[in-house]
Amino acid sequence: MLENLTTNQIGGILGEFAHLPIIDLLKIYVNSFSNNENWWKSEFKSLLVKLKVAEKRGTSVKDRLKQEIEEWAVILDDDVKSRLYVLGNDTIPDIFAQISNDEDKSFLTIFEDLKDDLDDSKYDDIDIFFEGLNSYLTVLQTPDYMDGIEEKMPFEIQALMKKNENELTKNEKLKILIAVWNFPDSFVKLMKKMIREILLVHSEMDYYQRILDYQEEILVNEVPDEEVQTGKKLCVPIPKVERSSNDKITSLTLEQTTYLISLLRESRVFLQDKNYQPAINIAMSTKLMTGYNDQNIRTKLDKYGEIHRLDKIVVQEKLKEINNLITSHLE
């Protein structure tokens, strides 16, 4: 059943929720997110104190900040974090599209890294995921499912459902949700784990971007206008572009762009050796040119097997177009 649903059908079922990235949904509905956000604001304030202390001890603010950025680059240079970050930026229909695409198995591999925290070993992690989603979709597609639902529930759940919403604890609300939607406990555990990880990695990435922006602010303030004009030092601002599906701001999608960049690296038009140019720099450079998110770019670089065949064909046609342009300039 799950595999037979189209992305448009999923979008229609979910209504307004279909258009929001998962991270935005979590920000709305997960109360702990605001506390998490405040924690990272405090962390940035602590960094500013560290910079002042370093300056008093004879280390320049720029050098101490560079050290902080390098340390965070190492922390975030992790394949699991990258995939969870991309997942947080996807919408729910995007995820269903990935699941139904037999050529793209990268999404399901996330669960390999989350299953260690599951106590219920009798379930395979992928089976847990599909079982939960199938339960969810069964309810959505059964118009009369909710009729008399209270009478179908165990006595404990019936008692909870009779309470006013403001009288229920978070755990009691979760118990009702699990019972109504027929979620297996193992699926709930998996989703809790995934939600925590997505919130954490997005907070870390936001913090990393904040210190990068602060570094840029310092560099811009340090460089006199005449130096920028004479080319002695170049500061490249990050484009303020919000990319969305099919926005046509650039002619290639994120997947097509990363595939093209990967080919350019493999053919050594761009530096391929990580000793010269790490993937994080390639991703940031691509972000500057296209406006796509650098973490989304980095997680897809050099992973040809995850790029859909149709996207490869689009890139092939684009290269033909470029070749025609070169030919016209030679005439």
Side-chain angles (χ1 to χ4, degrees):
M1 180 188 67
L2 177 64
E3 292 80 358
N4 295 330
L5 284 171
T6 66
T7 303
N8 287 337
Q9 286 172 324
I10 297 294
I13 290 168
L14 294 172
E16 61 180 305
F17 299 112
H19 307 292
L20 284 175
I22 287 172
I23 186 64
D24 289 343
L25 287 170
L26 294 180
K27 287 178 181 179
I28 295 169
Y29 294 106
V30 178
N31 294 333
S32 60
F33 187 83
S34 57
N35 295 333
N36 194 34
E37 215 169 24
N38 290 333
W39 190 90
W40 286 101
K41 286 178 182 176
S42 299
E43 185 71 6
F44 184 73
K45 288 179 181 177
S46 298
L47 172 62
L48 296 181
V49 173
K50 291 177 189 175
L51 296 178
K52 288 181 180 178
V53 170
E55 192 172 30
K56 287 180 180 178
R57 292 177 176 175
T59 302
S60 72
V61 169
K62 185 172 65 176
D63 289 343
R64 178 62 185 85
L65 185 57
K66 182 182 177 183
Q67 177 192 335
E68 185 81 7
I69 288 171
E70 287 173 350
E71 289 172 358
W72 273 99
V74 171
I75 292 170
L76 297 175
D77 191 14
D78 177 270
D79 192 47
V80 178
K81 286 181 181 288
S82 295
R83 284 182 285 134
L84 284 166
Y85 186 84
V86 172
L87 176 62
N89 285 330
D90 283 340
T91 64
I92 295 175
D94 288 337
I95 290 175
F96 277 88
Q98 290 181 55
I99 295 169
S100 61
N101 178 4
D102 290 335
E103 295 182 26
D104 187 357
K105 299 296 183 185
S106 62
F107 171 77
L108 296 178
T109 60
I110 291 173
F111 296 98
E112 290 292 335
D113 302 294
L114 298 176
K115 69 179 182 180
D116 293 339
D117 286 351
L118 294 176
D119 300 326
D120 197 344
S121 58
K122 69 180 180 179
Y123 288 102
D124 177 78
D125 54 309
I126 303 301
D127 288 341
I128 293 169
F129 179 73
F130 275 107
E131 186 178 348
L133 287 186
N134 277 320
S135 295
Y136 172 66
L137 290 172
T138 299
V139 175
L140 285 178
Q141 294 182 93
T142 309
D144 58 350
Y145 181 88
M146 299 303 288
D147 294 344
I149 191 70
E150 189 173 329
E151 288 73 23
K152 301 175 188 176
M153 294 294 105
F155 179 77
E156 178 193 2
I157 303 300
Q158 289 185 36
L160 290 176
M161 292 176 79
K162 290 174 182 175
K163 287 185 177 183
N164 292 326
E165 185 177 354
N166 57 6
E167 296 175 333
L168 294 168
T169 66
K170 287 182 182 179
N171 283 334
E172 287 174 337
K173 288 179 181 179
L174 186 58
K175 279 184 179 180
I176 294 172
L177 183 71
I178 292 168
V180 170
W181 294 89
N182 196 28
F183 287 150
D185 289 342
S186 47
F187 176 76
V188 177
K189 290 177 184 177
L190 184 62
M191 291 298 102
K192 279 184 173 180
K193 171 68 175 170
M194 189 174 72
I195 286 170
R196 285 196 300 268
E197 294 297 324
I198 289 174
L199 287 171
L200 174 62
V201 75
H202 271 263
S203 296
E204 289 177 341
M205 295 294 185
D206 287 346
Y207 177 74
Y208 181 62
Q209 187 60 56
R210 185 168 186 179
I211 58 179
L212 283 175
D213 291 343
Y214 188 64
Q215 181 190 51
E216 181 187 341
E217 183 183 323
I218 290 173
L219 289 174
V220 169
N221 290 336
E222 275 188 351
V223 182
D225 290 342
E226 61 269 18
E227 283 194 14
V228 176
Q229 292 169 6
T230 56
K232 291 181 182 178
K233 195 162 188 176
L234 179 64
C235 295
V236 183
I238 296 171
K240 303 297 181 184
V241 178
E242 291 291 334
R243 297 303 304 256
S244 59
S245 299
N246 303 316
D247 58 19
K248 305 299 183 185
I249 295 176
T250 56
S251 59
L252 299 180
T253 65
L254 170 66
E255 287 75 14
Q256 294 158 6
T257 299
T258 54
Y259 178 53
L260 176 58
I261 296 297
S262 298
L263 294 178
L264 292 172
R265 293 180 75 203
E266 186 171 316
S267 61
R268 299 196 179 185
V269 173
F270 293 162
L271 292 170
Q272 184 184 28
D273 192 324
K274 291 183 179 179
N275 292 324
Y276 295 124
Q277 193 66 276
I280 193 169
N281 286 357
I282 292 289
M284 183 57 72
S285 300
T286 307
K287 175 180 180 175
L288 292 172
M289 294 184 289
T290 65
Y292 286 121
N293 183 282
D294 53 310
Q295 292 300 326
N296 291 358
I297 295 163
R298 187 155 66 95
T299 194
K300 295 176 183 293
L301 279 176
D302 304 324
K303 295 180 181 176
Y304 300 156
E306 297 175 9
I307 305 298
H308 196 281
R309 185 171 181 273
L310 293 177
D311 287 323
K312 293 178 181 178
I313 292 172
V314 171
V315 173
Q316 184 182 48
E317 292 302 315
K318 177 56 64 175
L319 289 173
K320 287 179 183 177
E321 182 184 324
I322 293 170
N323 186 56
N324 290 336
L325 284 170
I326 295 171
T327 302
S328 69
H329 293 157
L330 289 173
E331 293 173 353

